[in-house]
Amino acid sequence: MSHNPWAPQPLPMTENLRQQLEHTRQLLQTLDSEKQALLADDADVLERVTAAKSGSADILRRLGEPLLRLRATEGPLKDYFARLPEAARLLADWEELQTLAQRCQRANQENAMVLEVRHRQVRQTLANLRGDVPQQTYGRSGYGAVALGGQRLGSA
């Protein structure tokens, strides 16, 4: 098999981690923007942010592939990095990347919770407008059904 000179070449490890750090920081900012858009019910911003989040995830997935292959052949990356001449820089970048990835995961989970609450609110409102179920109120024992006399408003 001949070597394709036009094929993308793998980045040196230090450059790969540097780019992953840059894109992970961007993703964290995007997740914050997503949360603000969710809380503000701003569909236009949410659409742009979702596209940016998807793009960042694709880039990070592409950058992460060589590390996954390396981990499969070399074992834990932290141990592998420690054996390289630029170990101090690689280990510091790796630790920062791990921390940022955890922050992104938490931010994404928080956004999912906001989205779930909004989804439940919409379902409840629609059910109330249709008169399908009693309204939910909060009492001593948590949420409980209280019939407040919902009426069917109409149908399309």
Side-chain angles (χ1 to χ4, degrees), residues 53-118:
K53 185 171 83 168
S54 178
S56 291
D58 288 343
I59 290 168
L60 287 167
R61 190 174 307 110
R62 182 181 49 78
L63 288 168
E65 287 173 358
L67 294 178
L68 291 174
R69 286 191 300 273
L70 188 60
R71 187 175 65 192
T73 59
E74 298 293 333
L77 293 176
K78 195 172 182 178
D79 296 343
Y80 174 75
F81 294 155
R83 297 190 303 261
L84 298 177
E86 62 272 8
R89 166 106 188 261
L90 288 169
L91 290 169
D93 287 351
W94 180 246
E95 289 300 318
E96 184 179 358
L97 184 59
Q98 297 301 300
T99 300
L100 284 170
Q102 289 170 354
R103 289 177 59 196
C104 285
Q105 184 178 19
R106 281 192 302 274
N108 196 50
Q109 289 169 341
E110 289 173 9
N111 291 353
M113 286 189 286
V114 170
L115 194 57
E116 176 59 29
V117 167
R118 294 286 193 217

Side-chain angles (χ1 to χ4, degrees), residues 3-54:
H3 174 68
N4 179 356
W6 304 110
Q9 300 301 308
L11 294 171
M13 193 57 58
T14 52
E15 180 62 16
N16 181 294
L17 288 178
R18 189 197 64 71
Q19 284 191 24
Q20 284 195 59
L21 282 168
E22 178 183 325
H23 289 287
T24 304
R25 286 185 196 106
Q26 288 175 0
L27 179 59
L28 190 57
Q29 290 175 346
T30 301
L31 289 166
D32 183 55
S33 296
E34 180 183 52
K35 184 175 186 176
Q36 299 309 313
L38 286 168
L39 292 172
D41 288 325
D42 191 332
D44 292 333
V45 171
L46 190 57
E47 187 175 336
R48 287 191 305 272
V49 166
T50 300
K53 185 171 83 168
S54 178

